[in-house]
């Protein structure tokens, strides 16, 4: 049923075993353990971009959680209208809750595929997907400090004996792996919870979920660890360490992007304000000029009238060096012109 996953998973495991088997002994437990660890790293590297998209989608969902609650309160009685409004909001804001869960959904079948592949390594098995009988025998005989990678702690002593190991040896290796996997799961979950907004963390449902991922999920490694092959515990531990490091890298990059965007917004506001100050000053000067112009225009006719009055007064006033035209002269009759042209000729008597 899951062969479309089992074969690619077993092929990646085979590739890394060939790499480490070339450096170390192919039958060594270290070569097989490193192969499982790097199988995890390969799968998670392929899912890096979907993980980044998941983080961005979850961040947007937290930012628009108040709008989602408002829609739920408004259209809670109409499920169809609520679905339409939710879809409209998601399209406008560019986030999709389903795509945010994609990396987690992909890891689930991969986990079951790896579990199925590792369980296929049994004594006397002719093959295990891409592995031949020699590879199967090599994995079955591989051990870490006496603990077989294909066995579980909970198996009966006689079953463990057929694989060449015992329960104390399995406990010595398995218990530290379970504890380390639980601690890594806790810190991975804590790092995600710390990224939540205060509004999201205050939600009662979110608070309950946070407690589960912080304390209940890590306990699965302790409770279910004895029933899992040691190779699966290695997978769990490597997966959580990769997730923790990946979260720090992705979250740091997103924080830097947001800081740069915020700085750009602040710089744009500063430039706009500094540009607006000269414009405001020029506008103020123009307003002052416009306000002064009517006063000057009003003052100009008044000055002109004053000048005209002064000119008229000066014209009408008699000049001290010249007698007035209408003043009567002695011997002159008013309105009569007298001919005195001969009075000034010499030698003539009057």
């Amino acid at each position: 049923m899951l062969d479309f996953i089992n074969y690619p998973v077993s092929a990646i495991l085979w590739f890394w075993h060939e790499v480490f088997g070339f450096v170390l002994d192919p039958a060594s437990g270290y070569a097989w353990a490193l192969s499982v660890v790097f199988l995890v790293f390969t799968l998670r590297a392929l899912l890096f971009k979907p993980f980044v998209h998941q983080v961005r989608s979850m961040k947007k969902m937290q930012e628009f959680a108040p709008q989602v609650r408002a829609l739920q309160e408004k259209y809670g009685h109409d499920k169809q209208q609520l679905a339409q409004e939710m879809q409209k909001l998601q399209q406008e804001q560019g986030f999709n809750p389903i795509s945010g869960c994609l990396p987690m959904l992909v890891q689930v079948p991969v986990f079951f595929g790896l579990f199925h592949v590792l369980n296929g390594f049994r004594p006397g098995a002719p093959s295990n997907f891409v592995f031949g009988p020699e590879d199967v025998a090599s994995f079955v005989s591989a051990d870490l400090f006496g603990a077989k990678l294909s066995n579980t702690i909970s198996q009966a002593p006689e079953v463990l004996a057929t694989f060449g190991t015992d329960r104390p040896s399995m406990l010595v290796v398995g218990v530290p792996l379970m504890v380390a996997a639980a601690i890594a799961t806790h810190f991975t979950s804590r790092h995600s919870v710390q990224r939540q907004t205060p509004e999201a963390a205050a939600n009662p449902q979110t608070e309950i979920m946070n407690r589960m991922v912080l304390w209940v999920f890590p306990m699965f490694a302790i409770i279910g660890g004895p029933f899992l092959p040691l190779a699966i515990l290695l997978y769990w531990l490597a997966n959580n360490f990769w997730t923790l490091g990946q979260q720090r890298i992705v979250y740091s990059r997103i924080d830097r992007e947001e800081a740069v965007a915020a700085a750009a917004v602040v710089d744009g506001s500063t430039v706009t304000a500094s540009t607006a100050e000269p414009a405001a000053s020029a506008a103020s000067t123009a307003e002052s000029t416009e306000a002064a112009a009517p006063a000057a225009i009003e003052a100009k006719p008044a000055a002109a009238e004053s000048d005209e009055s002064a000119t008229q007064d000066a014209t009408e006033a008699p000049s001290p060096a010249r007698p007035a035209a209408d003043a009567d002269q002695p011997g002159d009759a008013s309105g009569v012109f007298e001919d005195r042209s001969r009075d000034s000729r010499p030698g003539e008597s009057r």
Side-chain angles (χ1 to χ4, degrees):
M1 182 177 180
L2 292 177
D3 286 350
F4 69 97
I5 294 177
N6 296 334
Y7 276 99
V9 169
S10 60
I12 296 173
L13 182 63
W14 174 86
F15 169 78
W16 284 115
H17 179 255
E18 290 294 320
V19 172
F20 291 107
F22 180 78
V23 179
L24 304 172
D25 183 7
S28 170
Y30 297 104
W32 282 106
L34 289 173
S35 301
V36 173
V37 171
F38 275 81
L39 166 65
V40 176
F41 292 167
T42 303
L43 296 175
R44 295 305 306 272
L46 295 174
L47 297 174
F48 180 78
K49 287 188 176 181
F51 176 81
V52 175
H53 183 70
Q54 174 190 3
V55 173
R56 296 185 186 277
S57 298
M58 293 178 64
K59 184 174 181 61
K60 287 185 178 181
M61 290 175 60
Q62 293 177 3
E63 292 176 353
F64 297 103
Q67 299 183 25
V68 173
R69 287 195 295 269
L71 291 177
Q72 291 174 347
E73 294 176 359
K74 185 176 181 180
Y75 302 103
H77 61 282
D78 191 349
K79 300 297 183 182
Q80 183 177 0
Q81 184 66 25
L82 176 60
Q84 293 177 357
E85 294 295 329
M86 289 287 292
Q87 185 177 6
K88 181 179 178 181
L89 177 64
Q90 293 171 9
Q91 292 176 353
E92 291 177 351
Q93 304 302 333
F95 70 93
N96 189 347
I98 298 178
S99 63
C101 300
L102 180 61
M104 186 180 300
L105 295 176
V106 171
Q107 289 184 61
V108 173
V110 171
F111 177 83
F112 284 109
L114 178 62
F115 183 84
H116 193 61
V117 169
L118 295 178
N119 275 340
F121 290 106
R122 299 180 180 277
S127 64
N128 185 22
F129 299 103
V130 301
F131 294 99
E134 295 181 358
D135 293 328
V136 172
S138 175
F139 186 89
V140 169
S141 62
D143 66 272
L144 288 176
F145 305 103
K148 300 296 183 178
L149 295 177
S150 59
N151 291 102
T152 66
I153 298 175
S154 61
Q155 286 178 329
E158 54 273 13
V159 175
L160 295 175
T162 58
F163 284 87
T165 186
D166 53 17
R167 181 159 295 154
S169 299
M170 296 294 296
L171 288 172
V172 168
V173 178
V175 171
L177 287 177
M178 291 188 299
V179 174
I183 294 174
T185 304
H186 172 78
F187 280 102
T188 301
S189 302
R190 178 177 293 276
H191 197 226
S192 298
V193 170
Q194 291 175 349
R195 302 287 302 186
Q196 294 177 352
T197 60
E199 293 80 6
N203 189 348
Q205 296 179 354
T206 305
E207 185 178 358
I208 294 174
M209 182 59 65
N210 290 341
R211 291 180 180 178
M212 290 183 63
V213 299
L214 285 174
W215 305 107
V216 178
F217 289 177
M219 290 302 298
F220 287 161
I222 303 297
I223 298 173
F227 304 96
L228 298 175
L230 293 187
I232 295 291
L233 293 177
L234 281 173
Y235 169 88
W236 194 333
L237 180 61
N239 185 66
N240 280 281
F241 270 113
W242 175 278
T243 302
L244 185 60
Q246 185 173 258
Q247 283 179 345
R248 292 185 178 276
I249 294 173
V250 174
Y251 290 157
S252 299
R253 188 172 72 177
I254 293 177
D255 291 340
R256 287 195 299 268
E257 291 176 357
E258 293 179 350
V260 171
V265 171
V266 172
D267 292 343
S269 302
T270 304
V271 171
T272 303
S274 61
T275 307
E277 288 178 0
S281 178
S284 177
T285 305
E287 291 177 359
S288 301
T289 304
E290 292 177 358
I297 294 172
E298 293 177 358
K300 184 176 181 180
E305 292 177 1
S306 177
D307 294 342
E308 290 176 359
S309 300
T311 305
Q312 185 176 1
D313 293 343
T315 305
E316 294 176 355
S319 174
R322 180 182 177 183
D326 58 348
D328 293 337
Q329 297 290 336
D332 292 339
S334 176
V336 179
F337 293 94
E338 185 178 1
D339 185 10
R340 294 181 180 182
S341 60
R342 292 182 298 180
D343 291 349
S344 62
R345 294 179 182 179
E348 294 184 1
S349 60
R350 297 181 66 176

